[in-house]
Amino acid sequence: PQTPILQFEQVSKRFGATVAVDGVSVDIAPGEFFALLGPSGCGKTTLLRMLAGFETPDQGTITLDGHDIAQVMPHQRPINMMFQNYALFPHLTVEGNIAFGLKRAGMPKDEIAERVAEMVALVRLEGMEKRRPDQLSGGQRQRVALARSLARRPRMLLLDEPLAALDKKLRESTQAELLDVQRRLGMTFIIVTHDQEEAMTVADRIGVMDKGKLVQVAPPRQLYEAPNSRWIAGFVGDSNRWPGRALSLADGKVRVAIDGGGEAIAFAGDARIAAGGPVELFVRPEVISIGAGSENTLQGTVESLLFNGASSRILVRMANGHLVEVGQAVMDGSVKVAPGETVGIGWS
């Protein structure tokens, strides 16, 4: 396996009585796009700020390229951080903003001009070099901030909620650009976000944080399909969740009696389940379709249709009282149902 470029070992940080980061350990590989995902106040930005040198850990070590960086001043770390508000200098042009750090580092003029041109091309801002930030769109300002962060060729780029200020459409195109830049440079990027779709889109691996702890680190697909706790199952993606009781276990599958009536068969995953014990069943809306014929079928009444383009949903009220979100077969228009209609729903 590759030698990690970065290692957090048992890192903790307190602010007064509040434990912001609680014993976090994780290795990050060279060239990896790693996302820290979690709700507000979970400690992800504090972790990033310790890496950048703006906060000091109370316990544990942060090792970059094999060196403990605890005593290294922020401006001497081969790391750059791109902030949420971009922090561009309003009186400087695009060129001036990108060149700022290079001038401070005492780079020769001709090399600065060359590097700035390279960065302008990297973020596709050719022709905009002489504009000031107030003459740019939000997405363009975002790209200037990215170019400025990359100009000194850091070993690693830290991004703190970098796309929060952009509208949905622009955010999606900028995510694609970020990913493209990261792939072309082969540089390690660490992004902090509370937006799970963003994390799923850009990251090779996601570390989910809750209350200062890193609760699961996995590639996006694994996180979505094999969450390691009910908290993560509820936090990542949409789920129908039904309380019930485990009736029997066989071949890694568990038969569940759903509270209020009805039965279903599900994979137990890594869950430690005892026959007769309480369980919670999670089923993603997109795997459920209208019509019987699967291993699991339940009856219900259509309550409403939520049209939202590709992710349209049908809400079905089950005989047991639970409300179920059905996401499949809405896409192709083959399902013609109306509120009040009795239907079967099924999933494998």
Side-chain angles (χ1 to χ4, degrees), residues 285-290 312-314 326-332 335 346:
E286 67 271 16
V287 305
I288 305 179
S289 49
I290 299 284
S312 298
R313 299 278 196 253
I314 301 171
V326 178
Q328 215 187 27
V330 184
M331 321 272 276
D332 56 7
V335 175

Side-chain angles (χ1 to χ4, degrees), residues 283-330:
V283 187
R284 301 282 187 200
E286 67 271 16
V287 305
I288 305 179
S289 49
I290 299 284
S294 280
E295 291 159 279
N296 295 309
T297 52
L298 295 169
Q299 293 291 311
T301 307
V302 175
E303 201 149 286
S304 55
L305 310 174
L306 307 176
F307 182 75
N308 180 22
S311 59
S312 298
R313 299 278 196 253
I314 301 171
L315 294 183
V316 178
R317 179 73 64 184
M318 312 307 292
N320 60 19
H322 296 296
L323 194 60
V324 181
E325 255 192 77
V326 178
Q328 215 187 27
V330 184

Side-chain angles (χ1 to χ4, degrees), residues 136-309:
L136 300 172
S137 70
Q140 288 163 344
R141 285 199 289 270
Q142 214 270 338
R143 279 145 63 188
V144 176
L146 179 62
R148 188 184 59 185
S149 305
L150 294 170
R152 289 184 67 177
R153 294 194 177 144
R155 291 283 286 134
M156 189 179 294
L157 182 66
L158 313 183
L159 303 130
D160 185 12
E161 300 273 6
L163 313 182
L166 305 181
D167 62 58
K168 185 172 164 56
K169 200 93 183 143
L170 187 56
R171 202 160 63 227
E172 286 169 3
S173 63
T174 312
Q175 284 165 5
E177 281 174 15
L178 260 186
L179 199 53
D180 177 51
V181 165
Q182 191 264 347
R183 292 282 180 268
R184 281 189 283 158
L185 294 174
M187 191 188 285
T188 306
F189 277 28
I190 301 178
I191 188 170
V192 155
T193 180
H194 65 273
D195 181 336
Q196 45 175 304
E197 271 182 45
E198 183 160 286
M200 295 263 179
T201 303
V202 298
D204 300 312
R205 280 189 311 155
I206 299 172
V208 185
M209 288 191 75
D210 182 36
K211 301 189 179 89
K213 289 189 184 300
L214 202 53
V215 282
Q216 187 171 1
V217 179
R221 166 155 265 171
Q222 190 184 332
L223 201 63
Y224 190 78
E225 293 176 355
N228 69 3
S229 69
R230 76 172 60 180
W231 185 82
I232 289 192
F235 181 70
V236 177
D238 295 328
S239 278
N240 293 292
R241 47 202 296 184
W242 304 307
R245 204 163 34 82
L247 294 174
S248 60
L249 290 142
D251 307 326
K253 293 179 184 177
V254 56
R255 214 166 100 248
V256 177
I258 300 168
D259 286 1
E263 279 188 15
I265 297 170
F267 279 108
D270 297 332
R272 291 175 290 284
I273 290 169
V279 292
E280 198 163 7
L281 182 63
F282 283 80
V283 187
R284 301 282 187 200
E286 67 271 16
V287 305
I288 305 179
S289 49
I290 299 284
S294 280
E295 291 159 279
N296 295 309
T297 52
L298 295 169
Q299 293 291 311
T301 307
V302 175
E303 201 149 286
S304 55
L305 310 174
L306 307 176
F307 182 75
N308 180 22

Side-chain angles (χ1 to χ4, degrees), residues 74-76 80 87 89 91-92 95-109 112 116 148 151-152:
H75 65 278
Q76 291 171 329
N80 230 326
F89 299 108
H91 61 287
L92 294 181
E95 278 177 335
N97 267 289
I98 297 172
F100 186 79
L102 304 175
K103 285 182 179 161
R104 299 224 20 206
M107 188 186 260
K109 261 196 172 139
I112 289 179
V116 168
R148 188 184 59 185
R152 289 184 67 177

